[in-house]
Amino acid sequence: MLNRIETSYRFRSPYSYRRIISARRNAYINSARMQSANADTFTRSHFDPSGEIENNSSCYYLEHREELHEFSESLKKLTRLEPLNIAKGDYAGTAKSNFDIIKYCETSLNKNISKYLEEAGVPKDVTFEFDFHYSSDMVSDKIEITKISDEKYRETVENILSGSTGPFTIISCASRVMNGYISSLYYPWISKALDRCFGQDINDLSIDENGDLRGVNKNLQAAFDAEKKAEEKGEYFCAVQEFNFPVNNIEAIVKRLVSEENITPNISHMGYDGECIYTNDGEFKFGKDFDPNLFSEEKYVMRGASALYLTVYNHTSAWLENYEKFY
């Protein structure tokens, strides 16, 4: 039985935040060999502007560029150094650790968004809703405002949100995972890897009545055979080393994703109520309607252990092996 996660989260200060990185460095080094993540999956900071900022409402970004960049870089270091307690079966502990980081990010984001809105001259009573289009490569993330209480400030708000997509990436990923859309996060990532490593189009694959894959090309079949051969010999199989594929369980994850019927666009529905950012992607919500009591259910603990972006891509084996517990 999984232990219930404590419902009161302690928000860390920037000072203690930096200490986390140092304290976990050794743990990361010791567990690095156990990880099969694609090290090239996330490399770009999303605090970089996509083009020149010309209107006065975006001056806040230029003034705080260094601050935002520093926050982004420290956050990326922290998530990379997060120890994989999940490898030891400590799902509750890993979920708690993940949410300490996510809640810290959420608190910092709310503070900065409110500050930048005020600096840009947006009245405190202006509320808005928006869609965050999440991408696993962190390059094509985008924010689209779907509703705003005063159209006069639409462009200003869009500029402010677009300058802070890094924290939104973390919250969006967590929201999607916590509401059960884990396969949707994995699907485009694995689809690209199949094409890159084996020249395999995932759309050509299907599952027959016997549960076998159909449409597998010779390159992917060779990978399946190599994986099976290593398993029969009791040898460790490293898909990254052998095929530059980011997941060791090649056949298992391909079968799972091809058989999934609920692959949806990775869009997180969010809003700002004048005080904080909130999400509305399902039963589990961040912000004003956050309900920590949901962690009394096993599926939310399991999801929470994989909810931190970057580490979610390390946890494919746990997801595959304990699939039923996530839903």
Side-chain angles (χ1 to χ4, degrees), residues 23-24 46 82 97 110 116 139 157 171-172 214 220 223 234 255 257 277 304 312:
R24 289 180 176 169
H46 264 234
E82 177 67 10
S97 178
N110 287 329
Y116 298 149
V139 174
V157 171
I171 295 172
S172 170
R214 290 288 178 260
L220 182 57
K255 275 188 175 182
L257 294 178
I277 297 293
V312 64

Side-chain angles (χ1 to χ4, degrees), residues 187-211:
Y187 192 90
W189 179 53
I190 295 300
S191 174
K192 291 177 182 178
L194 285 172
D195 181 52
R196 183 185 71 248
C197 301
F198 309 114
Q200 175 74 62
D201 187 339
I202 198 170
N203 294 312
D204 292 338
L205 300 174
S206 61
I207 303 289
D208 65 17
E209 62 276 7
N210 298 317

Side-chain angles (χ1 to χ4, degrees), residues 143-210:
I143 289 176
E144 177 185 6
I145 292 183
T146 56
K147 182 179 179 181
I148 189 166
S149 61
D150 192 333
E151 286 291 333
K152 176 183 175 181
Y153 298 100
R154 176 181 287 269
E155 184 178 357
T156 301
V157 171
E158 282 183 343
N159 288 330
I160 290 173
L161 296 180
S162 296
S164 305
T165 56
F168 285 122
T169 297
I170 295 171
I171 295 172
S172 170
C173 176
S175 182
R176 295 286 293 171
V177 170
M178 294 307 297
N179 285 292
Y181 298 108
I182 307 172
S183 56
S184 294
L185 291 175
Y186 288 148
Y187 192 90
W189 179 53
I190 295 300
S191 174
K192 291 177 182 178
L194 285 172
D195 181 52
R196 183 185 71 248
C197 301
F198 309 114
Q200 175 74 62
D201 187 339
I202 198 170
N203 294 312
D204 292 338
L205 300 174
S206 61
I207 303 289
D208 65 17
E209 62 276 7
N210 298 317

Side-chain angles (χ1 to χ4, degrees), residues 41-42 44-46 76 135-141 169 309:
T41 302
F42 301 97
R44 174 178 170 181
S45 166
H46 264 234
K76 287 195 298 182
S135 66
S136 59
D137 59 14
M138 287 187 69
V139 174
S140 51
D141 290 351
T169 297
Y309 102 110

Side-chain angles (χ1 to χ4, degrees), residues 111-287:
K111 179 181 177 181
N112 288 330
I113 290 296
S114 297
K115 177 182 177 182
Y116 298 149
L117 287 171
E118 182 179 0
E119 290 177 355
V122 180
K124 291 184 177 181
D125 61 351
V126 172
T127 60
F128 48 86
E129 296 175 6
F130 58 98
D131 285 345
F132 182 84
H133 298 251
Y134 172 88
S135 66
S136 59
D137 59 14
M138 287 187 69
V139 174
S140 51
D141 290 351
K142 68 176 182 177
I143 289 176
E144 177 185 6
I145 292 183
T146 56
K147 182 179 179 181
I148 189 166
S149 61
D150 192 333
E151 286 291 333
K152 176 183 175 181
Y153 298 100
R154 176 181 287 269
E155 184 178 357
T156 301
V157 171
E158 282 183 343
N159 288 330
I160 290 173
L161 296 180
S162 296
S164 305
T165 56
F168 285 122
T169 297
I170 295 171
I171 295 172
S172 170
C173 176
S175 182
R176 295 286 293 171
V177 170
M178 294 307 297
N179 285 292
Y181 298 108
I182 307 172
S183 56
S184 294
L185 291 175
Y186 288 148
Y187 192 90
W189 179 53
I190 295 300
S191 174
K192 291 177 182 178
L194 285 172
D195 181 52
R196 183 185 71 248
C197 301
F198 309 114
Q200 175 74 62
D201 187 339
I202 198 170
N203 294 312
D204 292 338
L205 300 174
S206 61
I207 303 289
D208 65 17
E209 62 276 7
N210 298 317
D212 296 321
L213 273 170
R214 290 288 178 260
V216 179
N217 68 22
K218 63 179 182 180
N219 295 328
L220 182 57
Q221 185 60 54
F224 289 167
D225 293 341
E227 187 176 49
K228 184 177 181 181
K229 184 177 180 181
E231 183 181 352
E232 290 174 346
K233 290 184 175 182
E235 298 175 350
Y236 176 71
F237 176 79
C238 181
V240 174
Q241 180 178 335
E242 296 293 331
F243 301 103
N244 195 31
F245 192 77
V247 177
N248 279 343
N249 315 66
I250 302 177
E251 186 169 5
I253 196 164
V254 172
K255 275 188 175 182
R256 170 55 62 189
L257 294 178
V258 171
S259 64
E260 287 281 351
E261 297 180 354
N262 191 31
I263 303 293
T264 60
N266 285 312
I267 300 173
S268 181
H269 306 294
M270 300 185 179
Y272 180 74
D273 61 4
E275 295 183 359
C276 70
I277 297 293
Y278 60 88
T279 63
N280 188 24
D281 296 321
E283 184 179 20
F284 193 99
K285 304 176 191 297
F286 288 93

Side-chain angles (χ1 to χ4, degrees), residues 282-296:
E283 184 179 20
F284 193 99
K285 304 176 191 297
F286 288 93
K288 59 182 181 178
D289 295 320
F290 174 69
D291 181 7
N293 293 318
L294 289 175
F295 281 113
S296 61

